[in-house]
């Protein structure tokens, strides 16, 4: 079971997981498409829908939690 962030121990949640993305003090639903590791941090490729458009963004793991 994942902690409060998107990393489970030292490995990220599996791709395809539904996640909550923290932005501006709110949470939005998203779909985790994959992971990248850079500068010692994990970054999730997350797909969200805004105004009917799907958007893929890189989000730091600490801003993600399992839905």
């Amino acid at each position: 079971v994942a902690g409060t962030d998107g990393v489970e121990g030292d490995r990220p949640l599996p791709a395809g997981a539904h996640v909550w993305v923290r932005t501006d003090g709110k949470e939005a639903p998203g779909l985790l498409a994959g992971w990248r590791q850079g500068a010692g941090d994990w970054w999730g490729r997350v797909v969200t829908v805004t105004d009917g458009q799907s958007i893929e963004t890189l989000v730091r793991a600490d801003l993600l939690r399992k839905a």
Side-chain angles (χ1 to χ4, degrees):
V1 176
T4 57
D5 60 16
V7 177
E8 199 173 308
D10 54 340
R11 65 170 208 258
L13 295 169
H18 289 97
V19 294
W20 289 105
V21 182
R22 286 182 290 224
T23 58
D24 301 323
K26 301 177 188 174
E27 288 189 317
L31 181 66
L32 181 62
W35 287 100
R36 291 189 181 172
Q37 190 174 22
D41 294 325
W42 283 101
W43 293 78
R45 288 182 22 244
V46 178
V47 178
T48 57
V49 176
T50 302
D51 297 326
Q53 298 291 322
S54 61
I55 300 168
E56 183 176 330
T57 55
L58 284 175
V59 179
R60 275 192 345 253
D62 63 328
L63 298 175
L64 302 174
R65 73 175 177 91
K66 188 174 181 178

